[in-house]
Amino acid sequence: MTKKSKLKIVTRKKSYALQDSPFYKLKSKKKLASLLKVDMQTLFRIMNDTENYNEFEKKGKKGKVRKIQHPVGELDVVHTRIASLICRIATPNFLHSGKKQHSNVSNAHVHCNNFPLMTTDVCSFFPSTKKNMVFSFFYTVMECSSDVADILSCICTIHSHLPTGSRISMPLAYWANCRMFSELEQLAIKHDVTMTLYVDDLTFSGAQVNPLFKSIIRQIIERHGHQMHPTKTKLYSGNKPKLVTGIVIKGEMVSVRNEQRMKLVSDITCWKSIKDMPNAINMPVTHTLLGRLYALSSIDPTFKDRAKTIKANTQK
């Protein structure tokens, strides 16, 4: 029996305007089924099946428990197909998630300046992106017929919101809220402020970033049915170090967080205790250390040289 290949988003290196998406002005349920590579019977079955998801809880940072909804079976295949098509739609320059040559690091680099800065995120972004928002995207933005938009909004949501563990979650969360992000961008442009978005992390930098600007941002987000995270919303003065999507910004430079440096010191200490053992290069301790160094090299390239030194000084 051959091993089943893992599903993944396939864009075929395509990038086109929203109006060129096959979803744009899609009016026929039969054409929708064909686009999703299923028959009509399957389309309606997955639309109404209540056992399409594996739901479980996962403990995250600081012991916080998150509810995960992962699509299974035919729905997983359909979600992957939808995500593959949606990810081919060109997104604005301010978006840094889900794009090649973009990351949390590129997101931070945009704000390497000495201006005041504001960071915030949308509370429970996927669960707070409701079914009606998904419907509105397909019906109003994509200009699908109401019945096609209704089918897509049913297929793409669980408990009347976006699932938290699907391949559609990140791209569709952006597009279902694209009008909110566009309004935020227009406000930023009006005040000569730079805005970036990484999944649900919003960052603004510029001379006009102040408590009043923060208040207007909150009003826009709330008007679109979301909430700003109360403890993750921060204002930084221009001359202070700032934390943006996990990266420390000091003026025009980025650097690694102290928390990551402490973990690196701990990893190096563990590695030193085994580095002279036979086959130490293949031990989990070495793999963990090298993985951390390569991850940090995306922020500071000198960490890649340290990884090479570790390799050279580890018993083969």
Side-chain angles (χ1 to χ4, degrees):
M1 183 180 292
T2 58
K3 187 177 180 181
K4 188 177 180 180
S5 59
K6 184 178 179 181
L7 293 171
K8 61 181 181 179
I9 293 174
V10 178
T11 62
R12 303 190 189 283
K13 297 182 180 179
K14 292 181 179 180
S15 178
Y16 41 63
L18 184 143
Q19 290 80 5
D20 294 321
S21 168
F23 285 117
Y24 189 64
K25 292 190 175 181
L26 184 59
K27 309 292 185 180
S28 163
K29 289 180 282 188
K30 186 177 288 188
K31 287 184 179 179
L32 173 62
S34 177
L35 180 63
L36 300 183
K37 298 184 177 181
V38 296
D39 55 41
M40 291 294 292
Q41 185 178 2
T42 301
L43 186 65
F44 287 114
R45 183 171 66 251
I46 62 174
M47 180 181 169
N48 299 299
D49 191 348
T50 59
E51 297 183 359
N52 278 326
Y53 289 88
N54 176 23
E55 297 188 69
F56 56 94
E57 292 185 342
K58 184 178 181 181
K59 190 172 288 187
K61 294 179 181 179
K62 299 179 181 179
K64 184 179 179 181
V65 175
R66 295 174 59 235
K67 291 183 177 180
I68 307 296
Q69 300 97 23
H70 179 73
V72 296
E74 292 171 321
L75 184 64
D76 193 19
V77 176
V78 169
H79 274 200
T80 304
R81 173 64 176 164
I82 294 172
S84 295
L85 294 170
I86 289 178
C87 286
R88 297 174 190 182
I89 305 171
T91 53
N93 291 334
F94 65 74
L95 181 65
H96 284 255
S97 50
K99 297 164 77 169
K100 288 187 175 181
Q101 280 80 53
H102 291 74
S103 66
N104 64 313
V105 181
S106 69
N107 181 81
H109 268 289
V110 174
H111 301 282
C112 285
N113 53 53
N114 290 300
F115 289 121
L117 180 142
M118 171 186 164
T119 59
T120 189
D121 72 15
V122 180
C123 280
S124 304
F125 189 39
F126 297 162
S128 66
T129 298
K130 303 299 183 183
K131 180 180 176 181
N132 66 300
M133 298 176 183
V134 177
F135 174 87
S136 180
F137 163 65
F138 284 113
Y139 183 59
T140 307
V141 179
M142 279 294 187
E143 298 185 32
C144 297
S145 62
S146 58
D147 52 354
V148 167
D150 183 56
I151 291 171
L152 283 165
S153 66
C154 287
I155 288 174
C156 294
T157 58
I158 178 175
H159 308 317
S160 293
H161 62 73
L162 273 184
T164 55
S166 170
R167 293 176 188 87
I168 63 165
S169 301
M170 187 164 66
L172 195 50
Y174 168 73
W175 283 111
N177 294 285
C178 63
R179 285 161 290 185
M180 176 180 75
F181 294 126
S182 179
E183 188 174 344
L184 291 170
E185 183 196 26
Q186 290 306 309
L187 176 71
I189 291 171
K190 179 181 178 181
H191 293 280
D192 197 24
V193 167
T194 299
M195 168 184 143
T196 59
L197 172 67
Y198 186 78
V199 189
D200 61 345
D201 289 321
L202 282 156
T203 308
F204 303 89
S205 62
Q208 299 301 313
V209 174
N210 54 36
L212 176 59
F213 183 84
K214 171 185 169 183
S215 177
I216 299 171
I217 294 293
R218 174 181 283 108
Q219 290 173 32
I220 293 172
I221 290 174
E222 290 180 354
R223 182 155 33 81
H224 285 271
H226 293 287
Q227 297 290 323
M228 275 172 46
H229 201 293
T231 61
K232 294 182 181 179
T233 301
K234 300 184 184 300
L235 281 171
Y236 297 88
S237 59
N239 59 351
K240 296 287 186 181
K242 305 145 189 171
L243 184 63
V244 176
T245 50
I247 312 296
V248 176
I249 297 175
K250 296 178 180 178
E252 297 185 357
M253 302 287 292
V254 294
S255 64
V256 175
R257 296 175 68 178
N258 288 336
E259 178 186 342
Q260 289 294 331
R261 293 185 186 276
M262 290 172 63
K263 288 179 179 179
L264 180 59
V265 169
S266 176
D267 288 345
I268 290 174
T269 301
C270 293
W271 168 77
K272 285 180 177 178
S273 68
I274 61 96
K275 69 184 182 73
D276 296 321
M277 294 181 180
N279 203 34
I281 193 70
N282 292 319
M283 290 185 180
V285 171
T286 306
H287 289 172
T288 298
L289 173 57
L290 291 174
R292 192 177 303 280
L293 286 167
Y294 283 123
L296 295 178
S297 70
S298 65
I299 305 170
D300 183 346
T302 61
F303 283 104
K304 189 172 287 187
D305 295 328
R306 294 179 71 177
K308 291 178 181 177
T309 302
I310 293 294
K311 277 186 173 182
N313 290 279
T314 306
Q315 184 68 37
K316 301 292 191 292

